[in-house]
Every structure is written in C-alpha cells, then in structure tokens.
Amino acid sequence: MSVHKNVKRVTTHTLQEMKVNNEKISMLTGYDFSMAKIIDSAGVDVILVGDSASNVMAGHETTLPITLDQMIYHAASVVRAVERALVVVDMPFGSYQGNSKEALSSAIRIMKESGGHAVKLEGGTEVLESISRILTAGIPVMGHLGLTPQSIYKFGTYVVRAKQEEEAKRLIEDAKALENAGCFSIVLEKIPADLAERVAKEVSIPIIGIGAGGGVDGQVLVVHDMLGINNDFNPRFLRKYHNLFEEMTNAVQSYIKDVRTGDFPNKEEQY
Ligand code: KIV
C-alpha cells in the first residue's frame, strides 16, 4: 500500500516509511505563502525553506548574507500556507557553526517563531556537536553534504564535489556519522550519481538528491529554477518544467499595452 497517498500530514516517519517502501520522496523549496500554497496543494512531500532565499528572493550572490530573522519570516509565511507537506527550515550561515549552544537556541527560535517542523544544516563531523544538541530538544535535523553553498569561499567554485576517492570516502563517513547522530534525512548536493546511490544504500535514513542522480530516495529542486522563473541558471542537473520568466514577461507586457491603449479596465471591470 502506498505510504504517501495515505497520509494527511507528512512527518519524518512518513519519509522513513517511504524509503522502506521504495517510494521516491518529492521535495521543493518554498519561501512565501502563495507559492507554498500551490506546491503543497500539488502534493509535494517536503517543502524546504532553503537559505537559497538569499539568492532567489533577495538577489544576493551567495547564501551567506541571509539572517536568522529573515529565515524565520520566510518559514512562517510558508507554514501558514501548508496543510500536508513537512516543512524543513534551513539554518542560515552563522547561526549554528559557532558553538552548539548557539545552534540549539537558533533552532529553537526557528521552531517557536516559524512553526516549521524540522531544521536543516550543512556539514558533517564538524557540526556533529551542534546536531546532537539540537536533537536533545526534540527538533528533527536534516543533514546536507556534498556541495555545501555556505562554504563557497572555502571551495571557491560550485563544481561537482567528491569526485576524488578521498573526498568520496569522507562523504560516506560523514553520512554515517549524521545517521548515527540521529538525523532523519540527508540532502546530497552535486556529487557523482554512483556515490550518491552508494550512500543511499549504506545508510537507512532517506537520502534526498540535487544533482546527485536517480539512485537516491528522493529529489529536491529550487522551485524558481524548475519553474523557469530564473532564466540565467542552467546547470546540467536542472529540469525546467516551465518557462515562467517568458510567460510572466508576456503577461506584464500585455498589461502595460492594455493600460497604455485604454483597453484596461473595460466596462465590466469597473464599478
Ligand atoms: O537552500 C536550498 O535551496 C538548498 C537546496 C539546494 C537543497 O539547500
């Protein structure tokens, strides 16, 4: 029997059951009420309030500038719209790396002030203490390995990660450490498909991929990318389901034309 069809509200346990049942998990980012309503009613399993809001909502070049207050604002807007999906909220850069007590108080603020259901943070063994402390408060944690955009200045580029054996070995160890610490799921970003599939087989928690091939337990994309709202981001892993940039431009141009010609508003569109 299908797990995802039979749940009114997706929980971390639903995702675990989906993995056991070989059902792929769908996850998309969401940052605001209106978009979250569409994504949730379409039936997505997980909405990630990603710190990619820093890029797609605020226009920053990296995810580093977004603040905890701003993440909470986005997450609370999403939570108000959602009836079914699990809402996972990214912990922004600087809110968990300093020390584990600060990490716990940041996670508590996210849960209390936004109403989100879980947090996500980037890194492996170097953030294990923070993860363990957050978990002691009963807050579910999703890990994030591979390309970790908050460390962009350490790596210097957004190229595929863990292609070399040593880095691949470290990634597998990190995934196992996150599982042992109690993470309920891990995002793997931009790593070779074979490696991602191996991780998904070797750990028992759901592995969600972005640019990590089809051998994992689920997929995540940034919603603005898959809807084609961004027209200047075209990585190989991205499938665009629409060209909303073009469609919205056409709609706005039609409106401008109608205003200029006096066609809008017509008799039926006034009081
Ligand atoms: O912030 C984000 O959108 C993410 C996804 C790319 C996984 O972390």
Side-chain angles (χ1 to χ4, degrees), residues 27 29 31 48-53 63 90 120 122 144 149 187 189 210 220-222:
M27 172 160 137
T29 64
Y31 318 100
L48 170 67
V49 185
D51 60 354
S52 49
T63 56
D90 254 342
K120 172 166 90 56
E122 296 180 7
H144 184 153
V187 165
E189 181 165 354
I210 173 165
V220 56
L221 285 175
V222 169

